[in-house]
Amino acid sequence: MKKTTLAIAALAAAALAGSAQAQVCAGYPTVDGGISLGGRIDFPDDLDSFGVEGSYNARGPLSVFGGLNVLSGEGDDSEGEDLFFAGLAFETPQIGAMLGPRASACPQVRLEYGDFDGITFLRVPVGLGLGATIATSPAGPTISPYVIPQVVFTRVSVDEVDESETEFGVRGGALLTFGQFYVGGELNFLGGDLNITGSDTAFGIRAGVRF
């Protein structure tokens, strides 16, 4: 009985140690030195949106991420338009410790760029991500909710005419991680007149693998 108790305690400690290193505040399930690769489907109004994404969590506070989303008219068989994005996050353990032993917090910045038939689209969200990882059992899956309030700077150029705006946005969701695999949902909110998708709110489904 004593050996069994010690074994369960060791598994729990290992699970919590891995959870504490996960930088879920950036919205990705990677631990220190880890990589994630995945795909996503988003559902903005009157658009189809499919994408791929990846992240790398360096051994330390820094992580980077990026990907590509393809946007097309709903039911449209024509070639979609590409929207590229990349960003970085810097974990701040002091803020995470204030939230809880398995919480993480990271200031982050992201760059989104697209060129759609002469319309140049540039968006820069800057925010603070907050997340936590909850172990459902010592050897079972983990649940990682996160929320990223952000200020979003947008610039659209059409025929050498530029329009800019600054809006408040929120990106949040949860990931269910089991072993190397993860799946989750994400909700994005962004107001303003220059939102390229035309939707203030869009829900997405994400899935992938981590190494």
Side-chain angles (χ1 to χ4, degrees):
M1 180 68 179
K2 186 176 181 180
K3 290 183 178 180
T4 302
T5 302
L6 290 174
I8 293 174
L11 287 172
L16 294 182
S19 299
Q21 295 173 0
Q23 224 176 48
V24 68
C25 55
Y28 293 91
T30 44
V31 297
D32 276 357
I35 296 173
S36 72
L37 297 173
R40 61 182 300 138
I41 303 174
D42 294 283
F43 304 95
D45 293 340
D46 302 323
L47 282 177
D48 292 326
S49 176
F50 304 90
V52 293
E53 59 186 5
S55 70
Y56 171 65
N57 187 355
R59 293 189 181 278
L62 183 67
S63 67
V64 295
F65 51 87
L68 165 69
N69 289 331
V70 179
L71 308 175
S72 61
E74 195 170 34
D76 189 352
D77 294 331
S78 62
E79 184 177 351
E81 303 289 354
D82 298 335
L83 178 66
F84 301 91
F85 69 91
L88 57 86
F90 193 88
E91 187 163 15
T92 53
Q94 299 86 347
I95 300 178
M98 295 170 59
L99 302 176
R102 287 170 288 177
S104 65
C106 49
Q108 57 195 270
V109 61
R110 172 169 161 154
L111 174 67
E112 303 176 6
Y113 174 82
D115 190 346
F116 312 120
D117 294 328
I119 302 174
T120 302
F121 173 82
L122 180 66
R123 184 161 63 194
V124 183
V126 179
L128 174 65
L130 306 172
T133 298
I134 304 166
T136 57
S137 66
T142 59
I143 300 173
S144 302
Y146 61 92
V147 61
I148 308 170
Q150 50 197 1
V151 177
V152 184
F153 306 93
T154 304
R155 181 175 179 177
V156 175
S157 300
V158 184
D159 296 329
E160 299 182 354
V161 177
D162 298 333
E163 289 190 55
S164 302
E165 69 179 12
T166 302
E167 293 290 339
F168 174 76
V170 178
R171 181 163 63 91
L175 298 173
L176 176 66
T177 304
F178 40 99
Q180 288 184 283
F181 302 96
Y182 70 90
V183 64
E186 184 175 88
L187 188 66
N188 283 274
F189 169 79
L190 176 63
D193 298 325
L194 299 181
N195 191 341
I196 196 67
T197 66
S199 299
D200 289 342
T201 305
F203 175 73
I205 298 174
R206 310 168 63 197
V209 60
R210 61 179 187 169
F211 307 94

